[in-house]
Amino acid sequence: PQLLSLKLPYSNVDVRRLTAGTEPGFRSLAAQLGILPSLKELNLGSSRLSGHLRQLLGDLRAPLESLELPFCSLLPGDFAFL
């Protein structure tokens, strides 16, 4: 729970295999991120998150200081969430 920084580039998070964010691994990752109260930095580079950023990051307890999402194919809704 004291984790400050998490880097998961090329983590194989792929929303193309999801139905509205219901894939168990995706739900588990979102839940686990939500229980990290000290998390300040997150890197999910090269993950295919198109349209599901809110489902993944919506349970965070505090704002991140740094969020890296290079090559994540984000959609306008993802930017609206940010």
Side-chain angles (χ1 to χ4, degrees):
Q2 301 305 314
L3 189 68
L4 297 174
S5 180
L6 180 61
K7 295 181 180 184
L8 297 172
Y10 308 102
S11 62
N12 204 26
V13 174
D14 187 349
V15 297
R16 294 178 298 180
R17 295 183 300 202
L18 306 178
T19 304
T22 60
E23 195 267 337
F26 184 85
R27 285 193 323 258
S28 178
L29 177 58
Q32 294 302 311
L33 289 175
I35 62 170
L36 296 172
S38 301
L39 189 64
K40 299 293 182 204
E41 301 174 346
L42 180 60
N43 178 332
L44 294 170
S46 298
S47 299
R48 297 178 193 103
L49 300 172
S50 302
H52 290 80
L53 200 57
R54 179 182 301 274
Q55 286 122 328
L56 185 61
L57 302 180
D59 292 335
L60 290 177
R61 294 184 182 189
L64 296 170
E65 292 176 8
S66 173
L67 176 62
E68 296 181 46
L69 300 169
F71 308 106
C72 285
S73 302
L74 301 180
L75 297 176
D78 297 316
F79 289 106
F81 168 71
L82 291 175

